[in-house]
Amino acid sequence: MTPTTSSAPSTKTATSKSSAPTRKRPPYIRAVLIAIVLLVVIVGVLGYFKVTQIMGFAALAKSGAFAPPPTAVTTTVASQSEWQPTLDTIGTVTAINGVTVSTDLAGIVDKIAFTSGTIVKAGDLLIHLNTDQEQAQLEQAHAQWDLGRVTLNRDRDLLVKRTISQQDYDTAEATYRQNEATVDQFKALIARKTLRAPFDGVVGIRQVNLGQYLNTGDAVVTLQSFDPIYVNFTLPQQDLSKLGVGQTVDLRLDAYGDNKVFSGKITAVNCLVDQATRNIQVQATLENNEQKLRPGMFAKVSVVLPEREPVIALPVSSVHYAPYGNSIFIVTDAKDEITGKHVKAVKEQFVKLGVARGDLISVTSGVKAGDEVVTSGVFRLKSGSTIIINNEIQPDSEASPAPANS
């Protein structure tokens, strides 16, 4: 009985251990592992093709198959020339005599004696205001004056005969002079209502009409003297030592283009320097018999200095303008690494620019006489680019260009 009883538990224990289920991985971990494996495979394949492609491009570049073709350009040889130095500024054309004619008495316009835009001489009648009342007062004053003159002559004879006293004669003389002054007063009043040209000039567009009532100070017409004419301009105080009366001044106006030059002479240099701007005012006088210069016009002024200065001038098209600095391209000899042949290349050179005149600009540093400089196509170049020179057609390079339609 005892053995049978002791063997039952051991059999049950063995049966329970053999029947326990096996532990499995969750399904989402298997999906993540599969995705990682696929991603590694895809990246590997793409990397292989990319490396192969880059190696192919490198081989093509080394063989010269992708080398850019030479750029066609025009060139010029830099040379030294002499320019007449100038002091450039802006100015305003001003009439030697210019006024706005106005009346200093109120009245009604009863006569207009000029035509707008015509030439008038000093003393010519412009307009006349109604003076009927003043004329009547003048006639009255004349009558009093005549009476005073007769009385004075009679009292003079009576004084000689000692018929009247010296006091009576003095009273008659004072009355005569008073009447004479009254006549002159009314004549002056009438003259103030008769407006005449104060100088020779050209009248503008009239601003009054016949029968119009004018108040004191109302504008009637502008009057300007055109020939000769002034141009006023300013220059920095550091240029004062270069200025002198009699120097030539060239004037260019937008109305006639830069090719039309008006010349004159400096006639006055102001005696003081403006404390606010440290500029000095200069005045030049120009002949204007054709009346092309009008007061108020904006002008570009160039004061011609007596000495000449050497400069290296290049066409404006040869300059590569950039925010970090202006540069030009100088032609150099190079060797093709693939073919071994000698070719033309360019070297970028930064320069300092001076004044510009027409199609040319002066270069103060960065280039020397004898350098071959690219004059067109500079925006397609970089330092080391190969070029082909074709100078059959050159860009304009005139200091004083004259367009065909000018």
Side-chain angles (χ1 to χ4, degrees):
M1 295 294 293
T2 303
T4 306
T5 304
S6 61
S7 62
S10 61
T11 305
K12 185 177 181 180
T13 302
T15 304
S16 63
K17 286 183 180 181
S18 61
S19 62
T22 304
R23 182 175 297 176
K24 298 180 181 180
R25 292 194 181 104
Y28 67 88
I29 295 178
R30 296 171 61 190
V32 171
L33 293 176
I34 294 173
I36 292 174
V37 172
L38 291 176
L39 181 62
V40 171
V41 172
I42 292 172
V43 171
V45 172
L46 292 177
Y48 171 77
F49 283 111
K50 193 66 178 177
V51 170
T52 304
Q53 185 180 24
I54 292 174
M55 293 178 64
F57 288 159
L60 289 174
K62 187 175 181 180
S63 65
F66 278 178
T71 304
V73 298
T74 60
T75 62
T76 187
V77 178
S79 60
Q80 193 174 76
S81 58
E82 288 189 347
W83 277 14
Q84 188 78 51
T86 59
L87 301 176
D88 298 322
T89 183
I90 58 175
T92 302
V93 179
T94 306
I96 287 184
N97 290 310
V99 296
T100 298
V101 180
S102 60
T103 176
D104 62 343
L105 290 176
I108 297 175
V109 179
D110 65 0
K111 185 177 182 180
I112 299 176
F114 69 92
T115 303
S116 299
T118 58
I119 299 174
V120 296
K121 298 294 184 182
D124 286 352
L125 177 65
L126 298 179
I127 71 165
H128 185 271
L129 302 182
N130 185 276
T131 57
D132 291 345
Q133 182 178 357
E134 290 80 4
Q135 287 290 350
Q137 292 172 331
L138 178 61
E139 293 298 329
Q140 182 181 3
H142 262 298
Q144 294 293 332
W145 184 32
D146 293 339
L147 177 60
R149 183 175 63 252
V150 171
T151 302
L152 179 62
N153 291 335
R154 183 174 60 247
D155 288 353
R156 184 181 295 112
D157 294 338
L158 293 176
L159 181 62
V160 173
K161 297 176 182 180
R162 298 183 181 278
T163 305
I164 62 173
S165 64
Q166 182 66 40
Q167 182 180 359
D168 292 338
Y169 175 78
D170 292 342
T171 300
E173 185 177 15
T175 301
Y176 169 76
R177 294 184 181 280
Q178 185 178 5
N179 292 334
E180 184 180 26
T182 303
V183 170
D184 292 339
Q185 178 184 358
F186 284 112
K187 285 183 178 179
L189 189 61
I190 293 172
R192 289 171 65 186
K193 289 192 172 184
T194 305
L195 301 185
R196 298 184 179 276
F199 49 83
D200 297 350
V202 178
V203 292
I205 299 175
R206 63 182 173 92
Q207 303 177 36
V208 297
N209 296 306
L210 198 63
Q212 179 179 346
Y213 179 82
L214 295 182
N215 291 311
T216 301
D218 284 349
V220 174
V221 70
T222 58
L223 176 63
Q224 305 288 329
S225 178
F226 284 172
D227 188 24
I229 199 166
Y230 290 145
V231 57
N232 295 328
F233 55 94
T234 58
L235 286 168
Q237 64 176 3
Q238 57 263 31
D239 294 330
L240 179 59
S241 60
K242 304 174 185 178
L243 299 174
V245 175
Q247 281 181 269
T248 300
V249 172
D250 290 337
L251 212 66
R252 293 174 174 84
L253 300 100
D254 294 337
Y256 305 107
D258 290 340
N259 297 320
K260 179 65 175 179
V261 180
F262 301 88
S263 295
K265 300 288 185 181
I266 292 179
T267 51
V269 179
N270 204 2
C271 58
L272 56 87
V273 175
D274 190 305
Q275 295 184 2
T277 62
R278 305 302 177 186
N279 290 338
I280 188 165
Q281 187 173 10
V282 186
Q283 187 175 83
T285 305
L286 300 87
E287 293 184 358
N288 191 31
N289 50 15
E290 297 181 358
Q291 298 184 4
K292 290 186 175 181
L293 302 179
R294 297 298 178 97
M297 295 181 77
F298 168 84
K300 290 176 280 188
V301 182
S302 297
V303 180
V304 181
L305 300 180
E307 69 277 2
R308 302 180 71 88
E309 61 181 8
V311 298
I312 293 179
L314 296 174
V316 177
S317 59
S318 63
V319 180
H320 181 258
Y321 296 94
Y324 52 82
N326 303 318
S327 61
I328 62 173
F329 289 92
I330 299 176
V331 178
T332 60
D333 290 325
K335 188 176 182 180
D336 194 320
E337 296 179 356
I338 300 173
T339 62
K341 296 181 180 180
H342 290 281
V343 295
K344 293 290 185 180
V346 292
K347 178 184 70 173
E348 187 173 13
Q349 177 67 47
F350 288 94
V351 293
K352 184 178 180 181
L353 304 178
V355 298
R357 292 185 182 176
D359 302 320
L360 299 177
I361 189 167
S362 62
V363 181
T364 58
S365 66
V367 65
K368 61 182 182 295
D371 288 342
E372 189 175 7
V373 180
V374 175
T375 57
S376 65
V378 295
F379 294 99
R380 296 178 293 169
L381 301 177
K382 62 180 181 179
S383 192
S385 298
T386 58
I387 59 172
I388 296 176
I389 299 175
N390 184 0
N391 289 329
E392 293 182 2
I393 301 177
Q394 288 279 3
D396 295 333
S397 57
E398 297 292 336
S400 299
N405 58 352
S406 63

